[in-house]
Amino acid sequence: MNTMASFVDVLIVGAGPTGLTLACDLARRNIDHRIIERSTFYSVASRAKGIQPRSLELADDLGAVPYIIDTGIVDLPVRYYTANGGSVDKPCITVPASAELETPFRDPVWIAQFDVEKALRDRYAELGGQVELGMEAVGLVQDSDGVTVTMSTPQGTRQIRARYVVGADGGKSNIRKFIHLSLVGQTYDNERWYLGDVRLEGLERDRIHIWTSPEGMVGVTPLPKTDIWQLQATIPADIEEPEQPSLEVYQAMFDRRAGAGRVRLTDASWLSIYRVNVRVVDHYRNDRVFLAGDAAHVHSPAGGQGMNTGMQDAYNLGWKLAAVLQGADAALLDTYDEERRPIAQAVLQDSSKKIRADRCPNP
């Protein structure tokens, strides 16, 4: 794979789970491609923390599933703490695949998104590929023969000419903006969450821990094979401007909701405020440019479907791009939008119902 080439059949923009899934699929099919990532380093934020059975199947087909199975866990029970100081233990909240479905991966797996990315990245390296970091798409022009993407790199401005471009560059996608598509839907202004990857003292790592209080919920989920916990906490609807995330803010919130001295937060590697958006683009395609993953649809965190839907977008698109590049009718590419957008719409509707119904951590 010539990283200096100015022409390529497929340019993938964004090296999260969606872009990496597509890169693995194209690499194993010997399709000329590149994958670029605006960040100069691989993500260390947990973000999603569960992978569903269908995504495990496609990871298996791509050859990336062993690391996921070895790293993740299936059974992660939940301990709910009551206001009077008691607690109630309940089984794992994930839902296995229906018994009617024939799959070797019936159970969802708890695993941080950064470990799913590592599994895919390692497999991509085995297939001869390498993510090109520090390359941000800053312009795009397409014509009847291809697409020219202008990139900002540490070495200056560069251009890549591609027959097809796939924007897998997240909810704030540059590629989506270049092709003038908008995420249509709504923002739930009263549904805001504090999120974070923290280290802490005072809890056993064999389960999720959740506290509820008049102020709101706070929960922590142990991320397998790490010493990190993902923290999730609701932000009260009557607070117009929540405090900016910090270890001190999170500790004070934890003390109010779980009880002073119950848990001591010692470190944080990622802190964020999440505003629930439920949006999808009207079209997944503009001529030779495609959108996949969060660039095409953004979800509530409930149900654990955002990362999974993106990976499945890429899996659907990969073989179709390969087939057309190898001589199949270009009309095959129309089926990507026809098949994937209704699925995103259904998943968005379902996950929105879940977040209103239970307001508790999901994979």
Side-chain angles (χ1 to χ4, degrees), residues 101-114:
L101 299 177
E102 294 184 9
T103 175
F105 307 104
R106 193 163 304 285
D107 294 297
V109 171
W110 293 90
I111 184 172
Q113 179 173 317
F114 55 70

Side-chain angles (χ1 to χ4, degrees), residues 21-139:
T21 297
L22 181 57
C24 286
D25 202 11
L26 296 180
R28 69 171 178 161
R29 299 177 190 278
N30 296 313
I31 298 299
D32 180 33
H33 71 282
R34 292 170 67 174
I35 177 170
I36 64 172
E37 166 60 45
R38 75 182 77 170
S39 178
T40 56
F41 55 87
Y42 297 128
S43 173
V44 295
S46 61
R47 302 187 188 277
K49 57 183 184 293
I51 185 166
Q52 302 287 351
R54 178 56 182 154
S55 298
L56 289 167
E57 288 180 340
L58 72 86
D60 184 38
D61 184 48
L62 295 174
V65 85
Y67 180 85
I68 294 172
I69 297 300
D70 290 346
T71 302
I73 59 173
V74 168
D75 187 17
L76 191 61
V78 186
R79 178 166 292 166
Y80 294 91
Y81 295 86
T82 58
N84 62 7
S87 63
V88 177
D89 289 340
K90 293 192 176 182
C92 187
I93 62 175
T94 55
V95 179
S98 170
E100 292 81 39
L101 299 177
E102 294 184 9
T103 175
F105 307 104
R106 193 163 304 285
D107 294 297
V109 171
W110 293 90
I111 184 172
Q113 179 173 317
F114 55 70
D115 274 326
V116 175
E117 292 178 7
K118 175 174 169 48
L120 291 165
R121 205 164 49 239
D122 288 353
R123 178 56 182 152
Y124 187 49
E126 291 175 356
L127 292 165
Q130 183 175 358
V131 176
E132 299 176 55
L133 297 172
M135 301 180 70
E136 180 177 10
V138 295

Side-chain angles (χ1 to χ4, degrees), residues 234-303:
T234 54
I235 298 174
D238 58 357
I239 295 180
E240 290 189 13
E241 289 296 329
E243 293 183 89
Q244 286 302 301
S246 70
L247 195 63
E248 293 73 24
V249 166
Y250 282 23
Q251 181 68 68
M253 174 188 61
F254 222 113
D255 289 345
R256 293 192 305 270
R257 299 185 186 186
R262 181 67 182 84
V263 173
R264 189 173 80 89
L265 306 182
T266 61
D267 181 47
S269 54
W270 170 63
L271 299 172
S272 179
I273 292 178
Y274 180 85
R275 288 172 172 81
V276 174
N277 288 280
V278 179
R279 299 176 182 271
V280 63
V281 291
D282 287 332
H283 305 283
Y284 277 25
R285 178 187 183 185
N286 182 321
D287 295 331
R288 291 177 173 270
V289 182
F290 300 81
L291 299 176
D294 287 356
H297 44 80
V298 291
H299 300 245
S300 90

Side-chain angles (χ1 to χ4, degrees), residues 135-213:
M135 301 180 70
E136 180 177 10
V138 295
L140 181 151
V141 177
Q142 61 174 321
D143 52 47
S144 59
D145 297 322
V147 188
T148 301
V149 177
T150 302
M151 301 172 302
S152 173
T153 80
Q155 292 75 39
T157 301
R158 298 286 188 272
Q159 288 189 328
I160 297 178
R161 178 79 173 162
R163 293 175 71 178
Y164 297 101
V165 171
V166 180
D169 49 340
K172 297 180 179 179
S173 168
N174 284 351
I175 299 301
R176 186 182 66 239
K177 295 170 187 173
F178 297 150
I179 60 175
H180 308 294
L181 291 177
S182 299
L183 287 168
V184 178
Q186 65 184 110
T187 298
Y188 290 84
D189 292 323
N190 293 332
E191 292 284 357
R192 298 162 301 170
W193 296 69
Y194 280 126
L195 301 178
D197 291 344
V198 301
R199 293 176 176 85
L200 56 80
E201 297 173 353
L203 296 174
E204 296 179 356
R205 291 184 60 87
D206 60 347
R207 66 192 63 240
I208 298 170
H209 301 264
I210 297 175
W211 291 262
T212 55
S213 75

Side-chain angles (χ1 to χ4, degrees), residues 5-23:
S6 59
F7 181 87
V8 70
D9 282 335
V10 180
L11 174 65
I12 305 165
V13 181
T18 301
L20 288 167
T21 297
L22 181 57

Side-chain angles (χ1 to χ4, degrees), residues 29 31 163-164 285 288 290 317-335:
R29 299 177 190 278
I31 298 299
R163 293 175 71 178
Y164 297 101
R285 178 187 183 185
R288 291 177 173 270
F290 300 81
L317 182 58
W319 72 268
K320 293 174 180 177
L321 283 170
V324 170
L325 287 164
Q326 292 166 345
D329 189 329
L332 176 63
L333 295 174
D334 294 334
T335 65

